[in-house]
Amino acid sequence: MTEHSSPLAPGWLAVPENLNALQEPLWAAGVERNHAGEVTIDGLSVSELKAQFGTPLFVMSESDFRSRARAFKDAFDAAFADICGGVDVYYAGKSFLCTSVASWVTDEGLRLDTCSGGELAVAARAGVPGGNLSLHGNNKSDAEINRALDMKLGRIVVDSLDELERVAKIASSRGETAKVMLRLTPGVHAHTHEFIATAHEDQKFGLSMAGDSTEEAGLSAAEEAVAAATSYASIELLGLHCHIGSQIFEPDGFALAARKLLAFQSAMQSKYAIVMPELDLGGGYGIAYTPVDTPRPAAEIAEAMAAVVRSTCSELGIEAPRISIEPGRAIVGSTTFTLYEVGTLKTVRVDAETGHEGQENVTYPRRYVSVDGGMSDNARPVLYDADYSAVLASRGSEAAAQLSRVVGKHCESGDIVVRDVYLPADVAAGDLLAVPGTGAYCWALSSNYNYLARPGVVAVSDGAARLIVRGETEEDLLNRDMGVANV
């Protein structure tokens, strides 16, 4: 235990040598401190942003987003050039989507993955070509399927046998052909939180590659879906899809899933005398939320996956399908920080085990730092036990480190923004805190709990900030209340 460390802190959390330092993996390029110690982004100080837009506020670097998107496209195209001529990179819109982001994605040569009619509407408003869109979801409505066909989507990722039949019937009734990929569960369990591990069998997504289906003895649900898809005149079967989870750092799971799907795709093409020209290996690449997280560069991910695909196709004696991937968090997550204003503070004393037999437990202080947002703008800590970091952003400080818990203003004891972080002991009401790594699944999961208005999102580029999503007002909240007389 280093000096000033607390026995209440988790084992991975070290006391920073410099509380004013901005650790590089956590922040977007262009985020730094100015001569006064204030956090800036592309030269704009957080106090300027607060004065113009208020808090809480999502602050995004447009240039960093574009750079990360381009890095994935360039790295995967280079790694797969000799295998299948490059890779189709679909940005996972569920992580964060608005019309500006959809436009940036298109500008940088990426495609866009959507999961609902609403996300399709955003893509349409942004002018994304239908051929560059995909539609996911385990329970697509007839309206969403029709919308996908109206927009001439590049692919619909089918999640079940029931849905495959429904897509085929709707397409047939329109005299059209639906381009389909089949989402399979390869049984590869990513080392991640149970609620975001999506390749094991006992969950709602995908067609199982294991066991017998209920229809044809000896066929898995995955093979039954391939057989059915080939029998529908209104279905063009492009290939297979899988997604093994989220916030994954090690390549082993991706490699195993790729091998299983390539072998299955090869077997199905031989058995049913078909060609499936595409294979989507999903996303789930991790980012740094805390100093101990070790994300891999896009080029390293690409080279590792290319090596597996290259060797597996060689072993199987097959031509490699066109590969696609779906990064979301890995592109947008670190581009953004959330800016909060500190309100009340309190310190409590908490028992900690001494570890010595016969010796009484000792109490240690934990400080609660309340901010003007919370679980309504970041639900991930309460949903997934997600860890974050934070810094004092409005000024530098030479005060000692104090173990703190950053909490929101909601009427929930689980309303925690950052569970454990060392902040300067002199943090006070009116200070600004910045929480990095909030670009993915924070605004997307935001709510109006306790009738808090959802924050705005500003994009900063070349020293200028502009709203790309307007923050809500109380009037916005009341406009949907049909008991309120409009005067």
Side-chain angles (χ1 to χ4, degrees), residues 363-397:
T363 62
Y364 294 90
R366 188 199 315 275
R367 181 178 55 172
Y368 280 78
V369 180
S370 298
V371 296
D372 53 352
M375 61 191 294
S376 57
D377 59 70
N378 189 352
R380 293 190 68 254
V382 72
L383 286 178
Y384 307 130
D385 291 327
D387 290 311
Y388 284 85
S389 187
V391 298
L392 174 59
S394 48
R395 59 184 174 86
S397 174

Side-chain angles (χ1 to χ4, degrees), residues 314-472:
S314 176
E315 292 166 10
L316 293 170
I318 62 171
E319 183 178 344
R322 177 75 176 186
I323 299 296
S324 52
I325 59 168
E326 297 172 357
R329 183 199 316 263
I331 292 175
V332 72
S334 299
T335 68
T336 303
F337 64 83
T338 307
L339 189 64
Y340 298 103
E341 182 175 345
V342 174
T344 61
L345 298 96
K346 78 168 186 177
T347 300
V348 299
R349 297 199 67 86
V350 181
D351 286 342
E353 294 183 5
T354 63
H356 299 291
E357 187 176 352
Q359 190 174 19
E360 291 185 5
N361 291 343
V362 180
T363 62
Y364 294 90
R366 188 199 315 275
R367 181 178 55 172
Y368 280 78
V369 180
S370 298
V371 296
D372 53 352
M375 61 191 294
S376 57
D377 59 70
N378 189 352
R380 293 190 68 254
V382 72
L383 286 178
Y384 307 130
D385 291 327
D387 290 311
Y388 284 85
S389 187
V391 298
L392 174 59
S394 48
R395 59 184 174 86
S397 174
E398 299 304 319
Q402 185 170 354
L403 183 67
S404 303
R405 178 162 290 175
V406 181
V407 296
K409 61 180 294 174
H410 295 283
C411 294
E412 294 284 343
S413 59
D415 178 27
I416 296 170
V417 178
V418 184
R419 193 172 308 279
D420 296 288
V421 63
Y422 285 104
L423 292 171
D426 63 352
V427 168
D431 282 331
L432 299 178
L433 296 187
V435 176
T438 57
Y441 303 106
C442 290
W443 187 91
L445 287 169
S446 62
S447 74
N448 294 126
Y449 184 45
N450 290 151
Y451 263 66
L452 263 66
R454 286 176 291 186
V457 183
V458 298
V460 179
S461 180
D462 297 325
R466 72 185 191 281
L467 278 173
I468 58 173
V469 179
R470 176 178 62 81
E472 290 177 326

